[in-house]
Amino acid sequence: MIKKLLKLKLILLVLTSLLLVSCKNDNDTNEDHSNISTITITPKEVPTQGISGYVLRPAQRLELIATAENRDNTTQDITKYVTWHITFPEAAKMNGSTVVGIDIGEADISARYNGIESNDSIHIKVAYGKIKNLRITPAVTSISKMLPVQLNLTSVFRDHTTANISTRRWSSSNEDVASVSITGLVTPKKVGETTITARKGAKKATAKIIVTDAKLEKITIFPLKLMVPIGKKTHLTAIGTLSDHTTLKLNSSVTWKSEDEKIATVSNQGEITPKKIGRINITATKDGISGTSQLEVISAKIAKIMIEPTGKIETPLGREIQLTTSGILTDGRKVQNLATHIRLLPTNAATMRYEIGKPAVLVPLALGKATVITSLEGDKTASSTITVTPEVLERITIIPEGNTTSIPVNKTLQLTANGIFSNSNKPKNITNVAWDTTRYDIISLNNKGKIIPLKEGSADVIATKDSIQATVTITITIESEE
């Protein structure tokens, strides 16, 4: 019998251990963001340092990391959860958690999550810096006389970074073979050779170009098949194959066409703007040769969800809060009142009330914090932390002695202030009330709410506490009331 009991205890011990391990693993895989106190953003790799902060070149990229500091002094990476904000998108833009230099200028970048703003922003300066040398890109050596080619001027800076920079100083050594515009567009004219030169300041770059009689034989659009949600812009790329087996990008040289512009439009650079659900072909054509990409436009999907209200939420004891879930679609639109279940994590500070067809309601019970969470489609989650604060005064009523507001000039009247608080509808006497009147020539009023009539007339008496006010009109008569 004893052996059986020992064996049973051993089995129970093993099962308990396995359960604890399982719970621990579950906790490890579900990150808890309810304990965040501050957010710090830092670059993954420190770029060039300048007087104004981090310095990027146009087109240079810098990956950022958002780290949450918890109240228990632990930290966690929340980069994939935060929303990034940039003050001057003309200078730089955010691509996910990566900032990309656009043009000369400066911008501040901050991150926000669950109503918490990052402690400090990162100041980005986009500048050219000191140029070491220049080169012309792409590095083409031959082009067809049938196809213009767009060249760019790329600068190599002294810190070894590179970026495409602008210049209007382009020239061709043989205009009969090919000309070049102030934007770097080379237009071939006949078979032959020419040297294209681009200058920036005292520096220059050259590229020897051979114009051939190769002809365009094929156009291929990448991707060949594409599925995008309504409103989500995307780009197609047209690649031309020539008779000499060379290939080149043709986006600005072809004529783009949408099979149905009610479903999606396409710009002259190959940018797709989906408008409604459907399937169409997008074609790129030049010199009678076309390429096709199959486009399917699907309904806009929810990219992110959040619990409303957002931001730092505080509510006093007794004041309930309605909670709903909203979402941001892939086309940037916001949708309200998503059908999700908002759940309260274990706490003594509040409870939840649910009614069919109505928003979830958080009911404060005690001082402390309450964290609610929700999820959608399994991979989209949101959480919000509500702080329950002490009860607050919501309304004041003034009670005159004897429930009368009319007194003779030779009598006094004591006023009492009762307060209605957020956690109870039952009035209770309040102290430290500020008493005031609109007519000190008619009545005298002390700081306890006692009225001494001075002459016949009417005066308003105001009681104020915590910015809450109540008013009562007092009438002073000449004759004594029996």
Side-chain angles (χ1 to χ4, degrees), residues 344-471:
L344 178 67
L345 294 182
T347 180
N348 295 323
T351 187
M352 293 292 291
R353 187 175 73 245
Y354 303 99
E355 294 182 46
I356 296 175
K358 295 183 179 181
V361 177
L362 183 133
V363 183
L365 298 178
L367 302 184
K369 293 186 181 295
T371 298
V372 290
I373 62 172
T374 189
S375 63
L376 183 70
E377 300 172 357
D379 62 337
K380 299 175 184 67
T381 61
S383 66
S384 182
T385 299
I386 298 99
T387 302
V388 181
T389 59
E391 63 181 16
V392 294
L393 180 66
E394 294 191 329
R395 193 168 75 254
I396 295 175
T397 58
I398 299 176
I399 310 299
E401 182 183 4
N403 289 321
T404 181
T405 57
S406 178
I407 59 171
V409 74
N410 60 344
K411 295 287 185 71
T412 62
L413 180 66
Q414 180 64 52
L415 301 179
T416 302
N418 283 350
I420 305 296
F421 289 81
S422 58
N423 64 335
S424 174
N425 290 322
K426 185 178 180 181
K428 61 182 179 180
N429 183 256
I430 54 176
T431 58
N432 298 323
V433 176
W435 294 95
D436 198 4
T437 180
T438 56
R439 297 292 300 273
Y440 274 102
D441 60 325
I442 294 177
I443 65 172
S444 173
L445 183 68
N446 69 12
N447 61 3
K448 299 295 183 180
K450 186 175 180 178
I451 295 174
I452 301 175
L454 300 177
K455 68 179 182 178
E456 184 182 17
S458 294
D460 287 340
V461 175
I462 304 107
T464 304
K465 183 178 176 66
D466 299 338
S467 300
I468 307 295
Q469 289 186 337
T471 302

Side-chain angles (χ1 to χ4, degrees), residues 308 323-327 335-340 359:
E308 303 278 5
L323 300 173
T324 59
T325 304
S326 63
V335 290
Q336 305 281 1
N337 300 318
L338 295 177
T340 66

